[in-house]
Amino acid sequence: MIQFPTLIKKFCDALLEYDPETKKLYWYHSERKPDLCNRWSDHEEIYEMYRERYVCRDDLDIWERFLSPENIERFAQGNTAEEHFYIRFENMGRGLEWHEISMEQMEDSHVLIGSRDVREIYQSAAITKAILPELDYVCFIDIETGSYVLYYPDANKTVFSQNTADDYDTVIDAFNRKHVIPEEAQTLTQNMQIGHVRQMLNDKNEYILYATFKKEEDLLYKKLCFAYADATRKKLVLIRTDISSVVNERKLREKEERKRVAYLENMPVACVSAEVLLDPDGAPYDFRITYSNQAYAKLVGVEVPELLKRNYYEIFPDMDRKRLPYYYDTAYNGTPHVLSWDVEEKNRHMLIHAFQIEKGHFGSVLVDTTEEYFLTKELQRSREEMQRILETTTDLIFEYHVETKRFNISRIGMDEVQKSLSEEGLIETLVQKGYLEPSCAPVLEQAFSRMKKGESRLSVNLKARIRKEEGWSWYRLNLFEFQTEYMHERKTFGYLQNINQDMLRQEELEKRAQTDPLTRVLNTSEGKRKIKQLLESQKDIKHGNNAMFIMDIDDFKQINDTYGHMAGDRVLKAFAEILRKTFRAEDIIYRLGGDEFVVFVEDAEGTGRNIESIVQKLNFNIQGLKKRYSFFGSSIGVYVADTVCSFEKYYAEADKALYETKKKGKDHFTIRKG
């Protein structure tokens, strides 16, 4: 019989050995029939029992083909070294289980039979890969001679190849020098020597080593497990498995955790989390701090390790307990609170923002509001006014669980929105109820997607409203991530801030940057940009009827010299108003410079209009302007193209038309068509 280490048995639901001489099975391990373990059973009886009780009726032919008395005897005496097949077993009336059965011929014609449940493998390959490390090889070492036989899988992990050699200790030394990182190679070689391994196995069943291997620019992490191959203790078995994914994942988690802890540790604002403790009647009597950054420890004058050892009121017996009920409400009911705290010995006033982390636990951020507090006392401000200020700065607070994609809304003025919703449900509900402007739904979805991909902090701007009777306003959604102390869950907090005035101010600034300050039409750069953008959108259109107007005010210098520059400015503004009155809102009007203006008209020959009618309307409005300014006149050049061309082409041809007008005596128009 073979002595199998516990590690091998864990891969199998059942592990048996068939003796062709006695026609019996020895049960090393069985989860289905533990009562049969560690003893011999008649093969034919076991075959019939499984056939009647466990094997799926549709798979009986597979069972007979491989494991009937005749076929297993044929396998034991034949040339096939290994077989494996899949079969379904009845699971005590709860359905069928897929199992993989492996049969391996041993040197003495015995047959090793292993069975494992593969349902979970098919259902979740990712989970299986995380739980079961990749097998690199199995090595059997002869203690007396130092020779060994190495079995290792091919690239597909399906067929095991065999490699034999003498002098295990020498080979291991050369192999480790070449492949193991230098700082580990010598120690690993010493620990893998046969003599050392035997010494370590004197009082234990397994001897485990870990090593770091070089592979080009990468590092691979391996686990090596030694055990005796059988009860005679004449052979050792060495199993090497790859644990790189486990090690790398752990390192990544540790790195992310260090980043989060460093972020909190370096914050100038005091942060602390705690568990609220209950007496046998379910009433709160104290709380235990589970995390504190240095800012909080400095505030209370106690080192962090001491804060984490004892209950809060044991450390501070004279501390007022009036905040404890609020901490309980936050920790167990999820209600956030903003509490006042006068740190008398430091002459400071703090606001404690308490929020639920998980059931029974709360976190708090302490904001130093000393200056505001004393100012409030001096000005006799009421507590209600302070509350309104806080509600103005933060309009909505919620907790987002990245893994479950669900929200817990902590404070919100939207009574129709549920307190706990899925990601999709929240966005859909906010749009349907009229709280989120529909075009902002994709922006919100992308923000949640970015958080799920690993971003720990982000901000996006949305159009929304807290009450449906209000108009749309701009809000900034801020999201930041943390990991719970006990459950190790990724959670995300979010809050909304009203930035409507800032956005409107920004829009006004952008509008000013695009507009000529005197005439309030577009400036040159913005006008050109819009025309070129329009032409780019038309590049696939073969036929077009766009028109460009270039016009100036006749003898404008003489107007300035005669009537003054202020009068000249009034004429410019009046002419710009005439252009806005003549052309459509979607037509592009900009001041070219001085007294020159450009207008670009899309589809000038469209339904119900043509270029001549546009010019007539412009001329009519100019005649009206002449009633105010008898000296006013304007020369106009127009270019209309029946095909889409470049901005430069429109401009050059319209400029030629303007030149022809001036040549004819000004205060008139010329139309060129292309």
Side-chain angles (χ1 to χ4, degrees):
M1 293 183 295
I2 300 174
Q3 178 181 340
F4 286 92
T6 304
L7 179 66
I8 295 295
K9 295 178 181 177
K10 286 181 179 178
F11 285 103
C12 302
D13 297 303
L15 190 62
L16 304 89
E17 180 181 345
Y18 172 73
D19 185 346
E21 293 185 5
T22 63
K23 307 296 191 293
K24 291 183 180 292
L25 292 168
Y26 186 82
W27 296 71
Y28 291 103
H29 170 67
S30 175
E31 293 184 4
R32 186 183 297 274
K33 303 293 291 182
D35 55 308
L36 297 178
C37 289
N38 302 316
R39 63 189 181 89
W40 290 95
S41 302
D42 182 75
H43 168 260
E44 188 165 356
E45 290 181 5
I46 299 300
Y47 169 79
E48 291 296 336
M49 177 184 68
Y50 265 74
R51 188 178 187 277
E52 294 298 325
R53 295 184 187 179
Y54 303 120
V55 179
C56 172
R57 301 297 93 186
D58 294 335
D59 293 348
L60 288 176
D61 58 333
I62 300 174
W63 182 253
E64 181 177 354
R65 187 190 316 154
F66 290 98
L67 290 174
S68 66
E70 299 81 9
N71 287 325
I72 196 169
E73 183 69 22
R74 186 179 302 111
F75 178 80
Q77 304 302 328
N79 296 322
T80 305
E82 183 181 359
E83 284 278 12
H84 77 275
F85 60 92
Y86 295 91
I87 197 166
R88 290 170 290 180
F89 289 147
E90 293 283 353
N91 183 15
M92 305 299 289
R94 294 193 296 270
L96 296 174
E97 300 175 350
W98 274 105
H99 281 251
E100 180 183 18
I101 310 295
S102 299
M103 300 168 57
E104 182 179 352
Q105 187 184 102
M106 303 169 67
E107 293 180 0
D108 52 3
S109 296
H110 285 214
V111 178
L112 189 64
I113 304 171
S115 170
R116 64 169 179 162
D117 186 343
V118 294
R119 290 173 302 159
E120 293 300 322
I121 295 175
Y122 292 134
Q123 291 174 5
S124 179
I127 294 175
T128 303
K129 184 174 179 62
I131 295 175
L132 300 179
E134 292 286 349
L135 178 65
D136 285 344
Y137 62 71
V138 177
C139 181
F140 290 94
I141 307 162
D142 189 304
I143 293 174
E144 294 182 359
T145 65
S147 62
Y148 66 87
V149 180
L150 185 71
Y151 299 92
Y152 53 92
D154 67 3
N156 298 319
K157 299 286 183 182
T158 55
V159 179
F160 276 79
S161 304
Q162 180 177 332
N163 182 26
T164 61
D166 295 326
D167 200 353
Y168 160 84
D169 286 346
T170 301
V171 172
I172 285 297
D173 180 44
F175 180 84
N176 289 346
R177 288 177 184 275
K178 181 178 180 181
H179 297 288
V180 179
I181 61 175
E183 53 266 36
E184 293 183 11
Q186 183 175 354
T187 301
L188 179 65
T189 298
Q190 293 172 355
N191 291 338
M192 292 181 68
Q193 298 296 306
I194 294 176
H196 180 78
V197 173
R198 293 182 67 187
Q199 182 180 352
M200 299 304 296
L201 290 175
N202 280 339
D203 56 354
K204 61 181 72 173
N205 293 327
E206 296 177 339
Y207 173 44
I208 305 295
L209 293 172
Y210 296 93
T212 308
F213 285 72
K214 300 173 291 186
K215 184 179 180 181
E216 297 176 353
E217 299 299 323
D218 297 328
L219 295 179
L220 300 177
Y221 301 94
K222 304 294 183 178
K223 177 181 178 181
L224 299 95
C225 177
F226 289 90
Y228 282 112
D230 52 37
T232 65
R233 295 197 167 205
K234 292 183 179 181
K235 286 187 178 182
L236 291 171
V237 60
L238 164 60
I239 300 171
R240 194 183 82 180
T241 52
D242 185 85
I243 58 171
S244 298
S245 60
V246 177
V247 174
N248 290 331
E249 183 179 352
R250 187 190 69 225
K251 287 185 175 181
L252 181 60
R253 287 200 307 268
E254 291 173 351
K255 181 180 179 181
E256 291 298 320
E257 187 64 23
R258 285 195 300 272
K259 286 171 59 179
R260 282 190 286 270
V261 171
Y263 170 75
L264 291 175
E265 286 297 319
N266 296 326
M267 281 183 63
V269 178
C271 299
V272 66
S273 64
E275 175 189 8
V276 176
L277 305 175
L278 307 180
D279 62 22
D281 296 326
Y285 70 88
D286 206 338
F287 60 90
R288 181 182 298 117
I289 292 177
T290 56
Y291 171 78
S292 168
N293 67 354
Q294 291 298 328
Y296 182 82
K298 182 178 179 181
L299 178 67
V300 298
V302 178
E303 294 296 327
V304 172
E306 185 63 24
L307 283 172
L308 302 180
K309 285 182 180 179
R310 295 184 290 162
N311 296 345
Y312 188 81
Y313 294 121
E314 291 177 1
I315 305 174
F316 308 104
D318 298 329
M319 188 65 70
D320 192 342
R321 296 175 181 248
K322 65 183 180 181
R323 288 186 295 275
L324 184 57
Y326 295 100
Y327 293 151
Y328 168 81
D329 187 33
T330 296
Y332 284 91
N333 299 324
T335 307
H337 289 286
V338 180
L339 310 172
S340 296
W341 181 25
D342 290 316
V343 190
E344 296 178 359
E345 61 273 16
K346 295 183 180 294
N347 198 30
R348 310 302 296 170
H349 178 79
M350 313 296 294
L351 280 182
I352 304 173
H353 296 258
F355 51 90
Q356 186 186 49
I357 297 177
E358 57 182 287
K359 192 75 171 179
H361 294 254
F362 72 92
S364 60
V365 178
L366 288 77
V367 181
D368 189 336
T369 58
T370 303
E371 184 177 349
E372 294 87 345
Y373 174 72
F374 286 112
L375 181 61
T376 300
K377 288 183 65 176
E378 292 171 6
L379 300 176
Q380 298 294 313
R381 291 183 181 177
S382 66
R383 185 176 178 178
E384 290 78 11
E385 184 179 352
M386 178 61 73
Q387 184 65 27
R388 287 197 296 272
I389 292 172
L390 291 173
E391 290 177 351
T392 300
T393 58
T394 304
D395 295 270
L396 180 147
I397 303 170
F398 63 86
E399 182 182 357
Y400 172 51
H401 294 256
V402 177
E403 289 81 4
T404 63
K405 299 182 182 179
R406 295 198 68 81
F407 293 82
N408 289 326
I409 301 174
S410 303
R411 180 162 65 86
I412 188 169
M414 309 174 189
D415 296 334
E416 298 180 62
V417 180
Q418 303 175 39
K419 294 296 181 184
S420 179
L421 286 170
S422 68
E423 175 184 319
E424 296 81 3
L426 178 72
I427 297 173
E428 181 180 352
T429 300
L430 290 176
V431 173
Q432 289 180 350
K433 298 293 186 180
Y435 294 115
L436 179 66
E437 206 277 327
S439 65
C440 292
V443 178
L444 193 54
E445 291 173 357
Q446 291 172 8
F448 295 139
S449 175
R450 288 166 59 189
M451 292 299 293
K452 282 179 283 189
K453 291 178 179 178
E455 289 195 39
S456 59
R457 191 177 186 92
L458 62 87
S459 296
V460 293
N461 296 336
L462 304 167
K463 267 194 173 181
R465 53 189 172 194
I466 299 298
R467 297 171 184 83
K468 288 192 287 188
E469 60 270 17
E470 299 175 349
W472 297 113
S473 294
W474 282 102
Y475 289 87
R476 177 172 291 120
L477 172 65
N478 301 281
L479 296 169
F480 60 95
E481 179 195 272
F482 74 101
Q483 188 168 11
T484 58
E485 180 99 12
Y486 291 97
M487 301 301 291
H488 302 290
E489 294 179 307
R490 284 182 63 205
K491 291 186 179 180
T492 298
F493 271 103
Y495 59 92
L496 281 181
Q497 291 178 309
N498 191 307
I499 58 168
N500 198 54
Q501 292 300 321
D502 293 338
M503 292 297 290
L504 293 179
R505 192 177 302 112
Q506 180 65 28
E507 290 176 358
E508 178 62 24
L509 290 174
E510 291 178 358
K511 185 176 180 181
R512 289 182 183 179
Q514 300 168 359
T515 306
D516 176 61
L518 176 64
T519 62
R520 309 307 295 168
V521 298
L522 296 176
N523 57 33
T524 302
S525 61
E526 185 63 17
K528 286 183 178 180
R529 188 191 68 80
K530 283 184 174 290
I531 294 173
K532 290 181 178 181
Q533 184 181 45
L534 175 61
L535 293 174
E536 178 66 21
S537 69
Q538 295 180 344
K539 64 182 181 180
D540 296 328
I541 301 175
K542 294 182 179 179
H543 301 285
N545 292 297
N546 302 328
M548 179 177 281
F549 291 69
I550 299 180
M551 59 201 81
D552 64 11
I553 299 172
D554 294 335
D555 303 317
F556 184 69
K557 182 178 183 304
Q558 186 176 344
I559 294 173
N560 280 332
D561 293 343
T562 303
Y563 300 100
H565 287 280
M566 292 184 64
D569 288 348
R570 286 194 295 271
V571 170
L572 287 172
K573 290 192 284 186
F575 186 55
E577 185 60 35
I578 286 296
L579 297 181
R580 282 192 289 267
K581 184 177 178 181
T582 302
F583 294 95
R584 302 171 300 182
E586 59 266 31
D587 295 334
I588 300 170
I589 307 171
Y590 71 89
R591 184 181 177 188
L592 184 60
D595 62 327
E596 291 185 297
F597 294 81
V598 174
V599 180
F600 191 84
V601 179
E602 182 184 13
D603 193 17
E605 300 287 340
T607 304
R609 64 182 299 178
N610 54 52
I611 194 65
E612 285 77 10
S613 65
I614 297 173
V615 172
Q616 288 175 5
K617 183 178 180 181
L618 175 59
N619 186 55
F620 177 80
N621 289 330
I622 288 174
Q623 295 306 317
L625 184 59
K626 286 184 177 183
K627 294 178 181 180
R628 291 170 55 191
Y629 303 104
S630 58
F631 52 78
F632 182 82
S634 177
S635 298
I636 303 168
V638 186
Y639 176 64
V640 185
D642 59 3
T643 58
V644 178
C645 50
S646 67
F647 171 87
E648 290 74 16
K649 174 70 172 178
Y650 280 107
Y651 186 88
E653 293 296 329
D655 192 50
K656 290 178 182 178
L658 176 62
Y659 178 76
E660 292 177 16
T661 300
K662 289 181 177 294
K663 202 173 178 182
K664 295 174 184 176
K666 304 182 181 178
D667 197 19
H668 193 60
F669 62 88
T670 302
I671 300 174
R672 292 173 63 88
K673 294 188 178 182

